[in-house]
Amino acid sequence: MSKPITLQIRPRGKPIKSLPETVELPAGAKCADLYAVLAKQSKYSVHQLRVTKGSDGSLVANVRDGTVHSTGLRDQSTVYVKDLGPQIGWQTVFVIEYIGPVLIHPLIYMLAPYIYKGPAYEASQMQKTVLVAILAHFLKREFETLFVHRFSAATMPVRNVFKNSAHYWILSGVNMAYWLYAPASSAAGPTNQILLATGLALYGLGEMGNLSTHLTLRDLRSAGGGERGIPQGWLFDLVTCPNYLTEIISWIGVYLISGLNWSVLFFTVAAGGQMAAWASKKERRYRKEFGDKYHKKRYTMLPGIW
């Protein structure tokens, strides 16, 4: 019968109160078991701890499908434990991010007579339509966050929620709403039927395609699992991240519905740049993780462009 192993425990960064100097684990212990012992003795959440090997600094992931022995750790090996700071669940982060535009847009729309100086005016058909489209988009995101998405990481540092939320609360919230519902907005005045009809068509296609790709991605991972898979389907044969492609299509639709409002275009370009970076990173990860099993893509997000 294999003997248990003892690991030397050292803090990395600021000291962790009650962190043990050593821990003893049974032979065949899972990496998650190491995290559980450290969390219990330090009285920290397992999600607040990051464990790395003392020999090369590589991460010892908090997983149940890998053993401590498989990471290369042996009896008397040293591991470093870092306090990642207070954590918040990824699901909660997304709910906070998306609730900003859901609250801000109708608020500015209703308070328009008090915000904008000048004679009273009635919101145009395009202003009413773009309000509904934006609310539906972010309410769909909230629904997906609660009932569709499965997250590979449980938490993130609390401090990051403010940075992440600023993108939605400011760019797609305050900035976009202020310029959309103003009397001088490009969405005010007579309805441009061509822009409205084309915008609604693109918006609908984008939203439905986006939901479809999210459902495909969800089915790659079991509830609470950390496994990864290769997404399949005609959109995934076209680009690496069709969820980002359909997101852009949807926002181009909103841009047309808004009467080509610059604030919508600004948000679309800013969001597209960030998604393009994420898509390229995802393509590199697929190639590295799955090798020849993965059908390499020429374009990661926009066919013929990126």
Side-chain angles (χ1 to χ4, degrees), residues 28-180:
K30 306 294 186 181
C31 295
D33 297 330
L34 170 60
Y35 274 83
V37 171
L38 292 171
K40 181 178 180 180
Q41 296 198 31
S42 66
K43 298 181 174 59
Y44 277 47
S45 163
V46 292
H47 303 301
Q48 194 169 336
L49 301 176
R50 183 174 186 267
V51 180
T52 54
K53 293 165 57 177
S55 57
D56 58 11
S58 60
L59 175 68
V60 179
N62 180 19
V63 294
R64 294 215 63 84
D65 56 357
T67 65
V68 172
H69 186 273
S70 68
T71 67
L73 293 171
R74 299 294 183 265
D75 188 47
Q76 299 305 318
S77 290
T78 298
V79 296
Y80 285 89
V81 182
K82 181 178 178 62
D83 175 12
L84 298 176
Q87 300 288 298
I88 185 171
W90 269 101
Q91 186 180 68
T92 304
V93 171
F94 283 148
V95 169
I96 293 172
E97 288 176 356
Y98 303 148
I99 200 64
V102 171
L103 299 175
I104 292 168
H105 277 264
L107 181 64
I108 293 182
Y109 177 84
M110 291 185 294
L111 294 178
Y114 306 98
I115 295 174
Y116 309 104
K117 295 180 180 180
Y121 78 101
E122 183 178 350
S124 71
Q125 180 186 2
M126 294 183 79
Q127 285 177 313
K128 294 175 182 178
T129 306
V130 79
L131 170 65
V132 172
I134 290 172
L135 287 179
H137 174 80
F138 285 107
L139 287 173
K140 166 183 162 293
R141 283 197 169 192
E142 294 283 32
F143 172 83
E144 291 172 338
T145 296
L146 295 173
F147 302 109
V148 176
H149 294 321
R150 290 172 178 166
F151 303 95
S152 57
T155 66
M156 66 178 288
V158 170
R159 63 181 180 274
N160 288 353
V161 72
F162 302 102
K163 176 186 68 176
N164 289 22
S165 296
H167 174 76
Y168 294 101
W169 284 63
I170 296 176
L171 283 187
S172 62
V174 175
N175 183 63
M176 192 185 295
Y178 180 84
W179 298 107
L180 280 175

Side-chain angles (χ1 to χ4, degrees), residues 14-25:
K14 68 177 183 179
I16 299 176
K17 187 178 180 180
S18 302
L19 185 71
E21 294 186 356
T22 62
V23 296
E24 185 175 281
L25 298 169

Side-chain angles (χ1 to χ4, degrees), residues 219-235:
D219 292 341
L220 295 176
R221 178 178 294 135
S222 60
E227 67 273 21
R228 300 182 188 276
I230 301 174
Q232 305 289 336
W234 73 273
L235 283 175

